[in-house]
Amino acid sequence: MMKKAIVFGAGQIGRGFIGELCYDSNYFIIFVDIDEKLVELLNKEKRYTINLLGEKKEEKIIENFLAIPLKNENEIIEEITETDIIFTSVGAKNLFTLSEIIAKGIKEKFRKNPNFLNIVICENLLNAGEKFKNEILKVAQFSIEEEIYFNEKIGFVETVISRMTSPLTEEEKKQNPLCVKVEPYKILPVDKNGFKGNIPQICGFFPVNNLKQYEELKLFGHNLSHVCLAYYGYLKNYNYIWECIEDEEIFKILKEVQTEIKKALIKKYNFNKDELETYFNDLNKRFDNKLLNDTVFRVGREVLRKIGKNERIVGAINLCLENKIFPEKICFVLSAALCYNYKLDEESVKLQNIIHEKGIDFVLSKICEIKNKEIVNKVKNYYMELKNEMRNIERN
């Protein structure tokens, strides 16, 4: 009899990453989603396609699953009693909407089948395990016995999601609406210390003792590199990430940015140098994936959030300063972000309006929360240089 895995969220990551890992690990998958049309289609087709966009496109068929609409509470609770692993992939802002249904499932599992249950949280949310655990405790109203079971046998496991996806075109949606397009990369770092009982044998799991260092590697390695390409690439009139990384000048800046952050990560976490070299070399090859057709506009969106104090750019600047490394080229990335003026992007327009009305110093002080005067001056100098360059470039 196949083991069951419940996956809350049947979107691109739910179907295109978690679904594949569970399928490869011989689990029967229970997808739960709020989109009733998607649920109906999954149950009707009983299979879906993953397009793996590597050096060439490969198709992979995923079967052995059932989909349940989120409103079917009793059915979901019954499934929770019969599984030892739950995944969430609903988006960080939606995670806590699952608290009540999972709390009810845990209560019923305690009554019927009080075995270990691990909840693997695949969301971009720092300290997601502790936050979700506390939210469930708040809504559950456990008895003393239930709370003992909860603390001893329910694991909350944080992860670092790095697989890149590609949206379907309108034509592809018509032809095969359940298809998901993803890169082949399938490593999922998981917090070894979050599990209760044995770690389930899931393909792609990479258990680590200190997940925080891999969260920062993702944020300040992958995400910072991504926006470096997007914002400077946008200013040089490129549309796709692969175009940006093939530009010699942009690639040189990218490598210098990565060198700064590698030094900081090694100082803070004692990362193995060879491990980081392998990681960044592989990352840059993934960015050059033409089949993904990832755009500078997608990567550059939500610019106001991405220049925040603890985010990928300013957070990396602070990490470098804390470790006595001057983030020269990361300052350049911030200046490029401040120049991002894509008129079809709401946050981009808002940022440019703030700069126009209140000035760069206001943005650096109030939005980025940068206090270091040397950093402020460096960013402003790069900003003025880029603004002068932009006068000679007209975006398509």
Side-chain angles (χ1 to χ4, degrees):
M1 189 173 175
M2 297 179 79
K3 287 187 174 183
K4 287 184 180 181
I6 299 175
V7 180
F8 283 93
Q12 285 189 304
I13 293 298
R15 293 202 315 280
F17 189 24
I18 302 165
E20 183 189 8
L21 298 186
C22 292
Y23 177 78
D24 288 348
S25 307
N26 295 315
Y27 274 74
F28 186 85
I29 309 161
I30 309 293
F31 287 114
V32 178
D33 202 278
I34 198 168
D35 185 340
E36 293 178 34
K37 288 183 179 177
L38 174 61
V39 167
E40 186 180 344
L41 190 56
L42 283 166
N43 287 330
K44 178 185 173 186
E45 297 296 329
K46 295 184 170 48
R47 55 164 48 197
Y48 66 88
T49 306
I50 295 178
N51 281 349
L52 297 166
L53 307 178
E55 293 181 5
K56 59 180 182 179
K57 188 173 92 170
E58 296 178 40
E59 285 195 353
K60 185 170 186 176
I61 302 297
I62 305 296
E63 299 173 307
N64 294 325
F65 63 80
L66 172 72
I68 303 174
L70 186 58
K71 68 177 185 179
N72 288 20
E73 186 174 285
N74 291 338
E75 193 176 352
I76 295 166
I77 289 169
E78 187 60 30
E79 292 294 351
I80 291 174
T81 68
E82 296 178 3
T83 187
D84 62 0
I85 190 161
I86 291 172
F87 293 85
T88 78
S89 179
V90 295
K93 64 182 180 182
N94 301 315
L95 176 62
F96 301 125
T97 65
L98 304 177
S99 303
E100 196 168 324
I101 184 73
I102 291 179
K104 289 177 180 177
I106 290 169
K107 279 173 168 281
E108 191 68 6
K109 188 171 180 67
F110 170 70
R111 192 174 72 83
K112 286 185 175 180
N113 180 24
N115 294 326
F116 290 107
L117 172 66
N118 286 296
I119 301 168
V120 182
I121 305 166
C122 303
E123 318 288 356
N124 284 318
L125 178 66
L126 291 175
N127 301 317
E130 183 182 356
K131 290 175 182 175
F132 195 40
K133 179 178 181 178
N134 289 338
E135 190 66 22
I136 289 175
L137 272 173
K138 190 165 74 176
V139 302
Q141 297 182 326
F142 288 135
S143 67
I144 293 172
E145 293 81 5
E146 287 169 341
E147 190 163 342
I148 291 170
Y149 167 68
F150 178 77
N151 288 322
E152 290 182 352
K153 291 198 172 181
I154 310 299
F156 290 83
V157 183
E158 296 180 26
T159 65
V160 181
I161 300 287
S162 293
R163 174 173 264 189
M164 292 187 282
T165 66
S166 179
L168 298 181
T169 64
E170 290 305 315
E171 185 60 34
E172 287 170 332
K173 286 178 186 176
K174 289 176 186 174
Q175 290 178 354
N176 189 356
L178 291 178
C179 179
V180 188
K181 299 195 300 184
V182 298
E183 64 170 342
Y185 183 86
K186 58 189 294 186
I187 296 171
L188 182 63
V190 290
D191 178 14
K192 184 188 289 186
N193 303 307
F195 288 97
K196 293 294 174 72
N198 295 326
I199 297 176
Q201 297 300 303
I202 303 283
C203 293
F205 269 14
F206 176 47
V208 296
N209 277 314
N210 184 359
L211 192 74
K212 185 171 174 57
Q213 70 185 70
Y214 288 92
E215 289 174 334
E216 293 205 348
L217 177 58
K218 164 75 188 310
L219 186 62
F220 304 137
H222 185 136
N223 294 349
L224 172 64
S225 297
H226 224 175
V227 293
C228 172
L229 294 170
Y231 291 133
Y232 194 30
Y234 170 84
L235 299 182
K236 295 192 76 174
N237 213 15
Y238 292 121
N239 292 323
Y240 295 101
I241 294 297
W242 66 263
E243 294 178 302
C244 304
I245 203 165
E246 292 188 357
D247 178 290
E248 288 185 11
E249 184 183 11
I250 297 176
F251 187 65
K252 182 175 183 294
I253 294 283
L254 175 69
K255 293 290 285 184
E256 290 169 334
V257 165
Q258 291 174 343
T259 295
E260 290 171 1
I261 205 64
K262 276 188 284 189
K263 288 178 181 176
L265 287 168
I266 288 169
K267 276 197 171 184
K268 181 172 182 179
Y269 291 114
N270 198 27
F271 263 108
N272 179 283
K273 287 184 181 180
D274 290 339
E275 180 186 357
L276 287 192
E277 283 302 314
T278 300
Y279 175 86
F280 280 101
N281 288 338
D282 179 59
L283 182 65
N284 293 339
K285 287 177 187 173
R286 291 163 61 199
F287 287 149
D288 197 26
N289 188 336
K290 295 177 177 62
L291 292 176
L292 280 176
N293 260 348
D294 204 3
T295 67
V296 299
F297 315 108
R298 189 202 69 79
V299 177
R301 69 191 177 192
E302 298 182 352
V303 63
L304 281 171
R305 175 175 67 84
K306 289 174 180 174
I307 62 171
K309 178 183 178 182
N310 298 313
E311 260 288 345
R312 58 210 67 194
I313 306 174
V314 181
I317 287 172
N318 292 333
L319 176 65
C320 286
L321 292 176
E322 287 163 12
N323 289 280
K324 307 292 188 290
I325 295 154
F326 189 77
E328 175 83 25
K329 295 305 179 184
I330 305 175
C331 288
F332 178 87
V333 178
L334 179 55
S335 69
L338 296 173
C339 291
Y340 186 60
N341 64 351
Y342 183 45
K343 292 180 174 59
L344 299 180
D345 183 307
E346 188 178 331
E347 281 202 16
S348 167
V349 172
K350 189 174 180 180
L351 172 62
Q352 295 309 312
N353 286 339
I354 294 171
I355 292 172
H356 178 72
E357 292 169 11
K358 299 184 177 180
I360 284 292
D361 285 299
F362 176 87
V363 174
L364 294 176
S365 170
K366 300 301 181 183
I367 298 175
C368 304
E369 298 184 52
I370 296 174
K371 296 180 173 61
N372 185 296
K373 290 182 179 178
E374 192 176 359
I375 296 294
V376 169
N377 290 333
K378 179 63 66 176
V379 172
K380 287 168 69 175
N381 288 339
Y382 275 134
Y383 176 78
M384 293 310 299
E385 288 176 19
L386 285 171
K387 292 295 282 186
N388 289 331
E389 283 182 31
M390 285 171 67
R391 292 190 181 98
N392 302 318
I393 299 173
E394 189 172 336
R395 278 277 336 169
N396 292 332

